[in-house]
Amino acid sequence: MPTEPVAAPDPTAVRTALWRALHVEADAPPHVFDDRLGLQLAAPEAGWQQRPDMSAFTRPFRASILARARFVEDLVAEQATRGIAQYVILGAGLDTFVQRRPELAARLKVYEIDQPGPQAWKRQRLAALGWGMAPNLRLVPVDFEAGDAWWERLAAAGFDAGRPALVASTGVSMYLTRDAIMATLRRVAALAPGSTLVMSFMLPIELLDPEVRPGVERAAAGARASGTPFISFFTPPEMLALAREAGFAAVQHVPAAELARRYFAGRADGLRPPDNSEELLVATA
């Protein structure tokens, strides 16, 4: 049986893991999200804290990453208490949910979907760190560029479409076309009743708060230069309308400002995600 070619993880996935670790290293407690295992997976060079994308300039974006991660895992815990037993992570990158939260993860079958090369790299790193593969974890390689259908790969990995699931897609939609996003929405909306999608989306740059607009423009330029340009931006009404059109029974917009109130209120260090930036859609089938 041929082995999957190994490729380094996407730079965005590495940056996300490092921002999550930097929060624990550099920001005062209480920590919004505690993930030091992603740092071990990434194994960056010494002095990674001095990388330009770890500078104080990127602090609001670090807070945004933390906010969405905390929200998603709070939702996972809530859904698990309701009996949801399947959790799908689209574009999993260096996610460490299964390794960090084994007691919660043990109540679920967790499916991580990502490109084959980076996922093969992650499998190797899990083995090298002695973590191995948890019995309830499935790494589902999907070659999106070759036109693979993620839901077909997911079913082949043991996913039960007849039972409800929680599907998370964060930090992905801005790289996809509107048609690809709509196809994903329709696919999740057609899952068993009670299934939930949580998806992040980026507001149009002209609607962003002025203090974060230069950072997003810089990130967009970097993404374009690396061959993964930002393609799709949505206002909240547009995203809610797409989700309704896709067939979801209930849709909700969770603003960045709400995440700031929920997780960052009262912090003395001023750490908080910017308002009007990356927002969340929660949609229930």
Side-chain angles (χ1 to χ4, degrees):
M1 182 176 176
T3 58
E4 295 172 348
V6 178
D10 184 88
T12 302
V14 173
R15 183 183 308 116
T16 296
L18 298 187
W19 273 346
R20 284 157 61 146
L22 187 63
H23 175 53
V24 181
E25 287 197 8
D27 299 327
H31 294 125
V32 174
F33 195 81
D34 191 335
D35 181 9
R36 286 163 277 197
L37 298 188
L39 176 63
Q40 294 182 49
L41 268 181
E45 295 181 357
W48 61 271
Q49 299 91 335
Q50 280 69 55
R51 287 173 33 159
D53 57 359
M54 298 293 122
S55 71
F57 177 79
T58 65
R59 202 162 175 259
F61 304 105
R62 178 165 86 239
S64 183
I65 293 290
L66 299 168
R68 78 187 191 197
R70 173 66 180 274
F71 180 88
V72 169
E73 290 198 6
D74 282 356
L75 188 59
V76 172
E78 175 194 313
Q79 296 275 309
T81 64
R82 294 179 46 233
I84 301 296
Q86 300 184 108
Y87 176 31
V88 180
I89 310 173
L90 290 173
L94 302 188
D95 192 275
T96 56
F97 167 73
V98 170
Q99 294 77 33
R100 281 181 298 102
R101 305 196 62 182
E103 292 182 5
L104 176 56
R107 299 158 62 185
L108 303 160
K109 281 191 175 179
V110 182
Y111 300 88
E112 294 190 9
I113 295 178
D114 214 335
Q115 294 279 2
Q119 199 167 75
W121 176 94
K122 184 175 184 178
R123 189 184 295 273
Q124 287 189 357
R125 289 296 298 149
L126 290 172
L129 289 165
W131 300 344
M133 288 290 296
N136 58 324
L137 174 62
R138 300 289 182 270
L139 299 186
V140 185
V142 177
D143 190 345
F144 295 99
E145 294 177 2
D148 282 358
W150 62 267
W151 56 90
E152 293 176 0
R153 299 287 184 181
L154 187 61
F159 180 82
D160 185 352
R163 299 175 64 201
L166 173 64
V167 180
S169 174
T170 59
V172 175
S173 68
M174 66 280 289
Y175 300 105
L176 304 177
T177 64
R178 184 187 181 96
D179 286 348
I181 292 167
M182 194 62 188
T184 296
L185 291 171
R186 285 199 174 105
R187 182 57 54 178
V188 179
L191 294 178
S195 294
T196 298
L197 170 70
V198 55
M199 172 186 281
S200 68
F201 62 97
M202 186 72 75
L203 291 182
I205 289 179
E206 63 271 16
L207 298 183
L208 300 180
D209 275 8
E211 69 268 21
V212 299
R213 198 174 301 163
V216 174
E217 289 173 341
R218 186 181 302 178
R224 189 165 52 249
S226 65
T228 54
F230 289 179
I231 297 172
S232 294
F233 303 87
F234 298 94
T235 66
E238 287 172 340
M239 180 52 75
L240 292 174
L242 281 183
R244 290 189 187 99
E245 183 184 339
F248 283 101
V251 299
Q252 177 189 4
H253 165 226
V254 182
E258 168 59 26
L259 298 180
R261 285 191 294 271
R262 187 178 301 191
Y263 301 125
F264 295 83
R267 291 190 66 93
D269 60 3
L271 181 71
R272 70 186 305 268
D275 293 345
N276 303 323
S277 54
E278 191 175 24
E279 312 280 287
L280 291 176
L281 165 74
V282 179
T284 304

